[in-house]
């Protein structure tokens, strides 16, 4: 699901890059790195037992002040700078806009429903093993 959502955002990302002085030739790379950052952050939070934190970004509307969202923006800013040689200000501007785009697209797709099934569909097959480990850590939070 995440890959499909990201593909649908490419036009907006192209405009975002141009507005930040970055060539449109980097759209695919920016979309790919952004998706990986979101997925890695979600998986990391679930594996650390922060299911409520993950749930909070997908239920009841998106909040840019959410600590987990701020962390995703920060990580993505660094990856865009280091991987694509995009300067710091442009990387921060891009990350600060693309993360909300991705989260809002996910929220729209999930329709406010967030459970084990939606997590698995969001991040793919990796979620099955991850959820098994998380369930054992948290005594069956996801039943």
């Amino acid at each position: 699901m995440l890959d499909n959502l990201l593909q649908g955002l490419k036009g907006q990302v192209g405009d975002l890059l141009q507005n930040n002085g970055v060539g449109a030739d980097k759209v695919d790379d920016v979309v790919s790195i952004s998706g990986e950052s979101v997925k890695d952050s979600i998986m990391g939070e679930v594996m650390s037992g922060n299911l409520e934190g993950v749930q909070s970004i997908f239920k009841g509307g998106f909040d840019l002040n959410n600590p987990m969202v701020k962390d995703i923006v920060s990580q993505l800013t660094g990856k865009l700078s280091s991987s694509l040689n995009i300067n710091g200000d442009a990387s921060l501007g891009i990350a600060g806009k693309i993360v909300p785009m991705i989260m809002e697209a996910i929220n729209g797709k999930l329709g406010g429903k967030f459970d084990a099934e939606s997590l698995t569909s969001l991040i793919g097959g990796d979620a099955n093993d991850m959820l098994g480990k998380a369930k054992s850590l948290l005594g069956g939070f996801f039943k």
Side-chain angles (χ1 to χ4, degrees):
M1 171 179 34
L2 184 57
D3 291 336
N4 291 337
L5 292 174
L6 292 171
Q7 293 302 313
L9 295 176
K10 280 188 176 181
Q12 292 174 336
V13 172
D15 293 341
L16 177 62
L17 294 181
Q18 289 179 344
N19 291 340
N20 283 278
V22 178
D25 60 314
K26 295 190 178 183
V27 168
D28 288 337
D29 291 333
V30 169
V31 168
S32 176
I33 291 169
S34 299
E36 288 171 15
S37 292
V38 169
K39 181 178 176 179
D40 290 348
S41 293
I42 292 169
M43 289 177 66
E45 291 295 322
V46 170
M47 290 305 295
S48 72
N50 188 16
L51 294 174
E52 288 184 25
V54 173
Q55 212 170 20
S56 74
I57 63 171
F58 295 113
K59 283 192 170 181
F62 176 75
D63 181 6
L64 191 56
N65 293 315
N66 181 301
M68 190 174 148
V69 174
K70 285 183 176 183
D71 186 51
I72 295 169
V73 170
S74 176
Q75 288 181 27
L76 178 57
T77 299
K79 287 180 181 179
L80 293 174
S81 293
S82 65
S83 299
L84 301 178
N85 294 322
I86 299 173
N87 76 49
D89 289 339
S91 291
L92 180 59
I94 292 165
K97 298 281 187 199
I98 198 168
V99 170
M101 276 192 242
I102 293 170
M103 296 306 203
E104 288 171 3
I106 293 169
N107 281 337
K109 185 71 174 176
L110 296 178
K113 174 189 171 203
F114 185 81
D115 56 16
E117 182 181 327
S118 56
L119 179 62
T120 301
S121 71
L122 174 63
I123 58 179
D126 299 326
N128 291 322
D129 181 49
M130 181 180 56
L131 284 172
K133 290 176 184 175
K135 282 180 186 177
S136 66
L137 286 172
L138 299 173
F141 178 78
F142 282 133
K143 292 184 179 181

